[in-house]
Amino acid sequence: MSGRGARHKAYRRGRSAERLAALALMLKGYRIVGRRYRTKLGEIDLIARRGNMIAIVEVKARARLEQAMDSVNVLTQRRIEAAAEQWLARQPDHATLSLRFDLVAILPWRWPVHIPAVFTL
């Protein structure tokens, strides 16, 4: 497969993983308030809200849960934090919101695994 074809396949797989993660979160009572929020500093896959709690969600499609967790390294965390700070600053009720960084792992033939507070600021 050419580089272009591989990138397109990875993009489709990522979009599909994000849709499945959003569905799993909605079934747990979250409202999805943002998808693929992009800034110059980074991107947030999903932004979910339940009450005054905002979950900044990184979605990883991997073969094993350990691989998904390991892929959220320090550099990834900093990128997500920077984007989250920009998003939060634009919210009119930002002073009343609490922020949490979650992971949803999309694993083969399993329901998505939601890991709340996978890292902290």
Side-chain angles (χ1 to χ4, degrees), residues 108-121:
W109 306 109
R110 288 193 50 203
W111 187 249
V113 178
H114 177 212
I115 302 171
V118 72
F119 69 90
T120 57
L121 283 173

Side-chain angles (χ1 to χ4, degrees), residues 37-69:
Y37 178 78
R38 293 180 184 197
T39 71
K40 290 180 182 179
L41 302 173
E43 178 183 328
I44 300 169
D45 293 335
L46 296 172
I47 303 169
R49 181 173 184 158
R50 188 161 61 183
N52 285 338
M53 199 281 303
I54 300 295
I56 303 298
V57 183
E58 183 70 2
V59 178
K60 294 293 183 182
R62 298 290 187 270
R64 294 189 348 264
L65 180 59
E66 297 79 23
Q67 292 172 323
M69 292 181 72

Side-chain angles (χ1 to χ4, degrees), residues 9-53:
K9 184 176 180 179
Y11 174 82
R12 285 194 327 260
R13 182 177 180 206
R15 293 290 287 198
S16 176
E18 288 169 6
R19 282 192 300 274
L20 188 55
L23 174 63
L25 290 169
M26 288 186 292
L27 290 173
K28 289 178 85 172
Y30 291 87
R31 185 168 45 99
I32 304 301
V33 295
R35 295 174 189 255
R36 290 203 168 198
Y37 178 78
R38 293 180 184 197
T39 71
K40 290 180 182 179
L41 302 173
E43 178 183 328
I44 300 169
D45 293 335
L46 296 172
I47 303 169
R49 181 173 184 158
R50 188 161 61 183
N52 285 338
M53 199 281 303

